Amino acid sequence: SKTTGEMIQKGVSENPAKLQHAPPQVSESSAAKQYRSFVGEILASSFNDLGVMRAKDSKFGEAAEFFKQAALWNPNLPGLDRNWGFASFKAEQYSEAVPPLERFLAAHPDDAFVRQLLGLSYFIEEKYPQTVAVLKPLTANPPDDPGLLLAWGTALVRTRQSEAAAGRVRKLLVQNADN
């Protein structure tokens, strides 16, 4: 009897005949496909609902895990990417927040809240060019959030856009003159 290590070292090429006799793929009936799709919708919706409940209790790490499970069953569930991105952001899992926020923003470019979350997530990951790019549409009407303005200004400085950075910092100072 060979050890697992020996089998790994020799590889599968030792007896290729065994590989050629894989069982044939069974085609799934349309009824089975419909059933699987139906069950997937229910499971995705259930995991999403559980995530929303956890988020309402400020258990954002748990919420993000439920949203991740929902995406495995139906990645196209409306609002799922927004929920998942927000929960991951609030759980300080910024690298996990980026993909769902990117997908949601691509489909909903006017969602300023998601744009801000994505910009802050990029900033925290030190992705300054992405921070600047994702926040650029907010230039005409920048948000009042001092943390976002500071992150945006810093990202502009880091990408050598000093004049634009000065505008963000001026707004920050004017809005927070009493602080």
Side-chain angles (χ1 to χ4, degrees):
S1 165
K2 295 180 184 179
T3 67
T4 306
E6 290 172 335
M7 291 188 328
I8 290 171
Q9 284 179 344
K10 292 202 181 206
V12 252
S13 61
E14 191 172 338
N15 192 351
K18 287 184 181 177
L19 293 178
Q20 294 171 359
H21 297 295
Q25 293 294 325
V26 177
S27 64
E28 189 175 31
S29 71
S30 65
K33 284 180 185 176
Q34 285 178 330
Y35 179 74
R36 191 166 38 86
S37 176
F38 173 71
V39 170
E41 292 285 334
I42 292 171
L43 288 170
S45 183
S46 298
F47 279 120
N48 185 63
D49 291 346
L50 288 168
V52 169
M53 287 188 280
R54 292 300 190 283
K56 284 181 180 178
D57 290 340
S58 298
K59 295 178 180 174
F60 296 107
E62 291 178 27
E65 281 302 312
F66 280 118
F67 295 132
K68 186 177 185 176
Q69 290 299 314
L72 293 174
W73 288 101
N74 180 8
N76 300 316
L77 186 69
L80 174 61
D81 280 334
R82 192 176 204 270
N83 292 345
W84 186 6
F86 176 72
S88 297
F89 180 88
K90 293 294 282 184
E92 300 178 1
Q93 300 169 352
Y94 305 107
S95 62
E96 295 289 319
V98 167
L101 291 173
E102 286 175 335
R103 287 189 301 270
F104 191 84
L105 190 61
H108 305 88
D110 294 334
D111 192 320
F113 178 71
V114 168
R115 185 172 296 284
Q116 291 172 39
L117 289 180
L118 183 56
L120 286 169
S121 296
Y122 283 148
F123 178 77
I124 291 165
E125 291 194 311
E126 299 180 7
K127 295 179 177 178
Y128 305 119
Q130 291 94 324
T131 302
V132 170
V134 81
L135 296 176
K136 186 173 179 143
L138 302 176
T139 301
N141 189 18
D144 295 334
D145 182 319
L148 181 71
L149 291 172
L150 181 60
W152 193 356
T154 302
L156 285 163
V157 168
R158 296 280 175 102
T159 57
R160 295 177 171 74
Q161 299 177 52
S162 303
E163 195 172 311
R168 297 290 86 70
V169 174
R170 259 193 302 280
K171 182 171 176 63
L172 176 65
L173 293 174
V174 168
Q175 286 179 345
N176 296 283
D178 298 335
N179 189 348

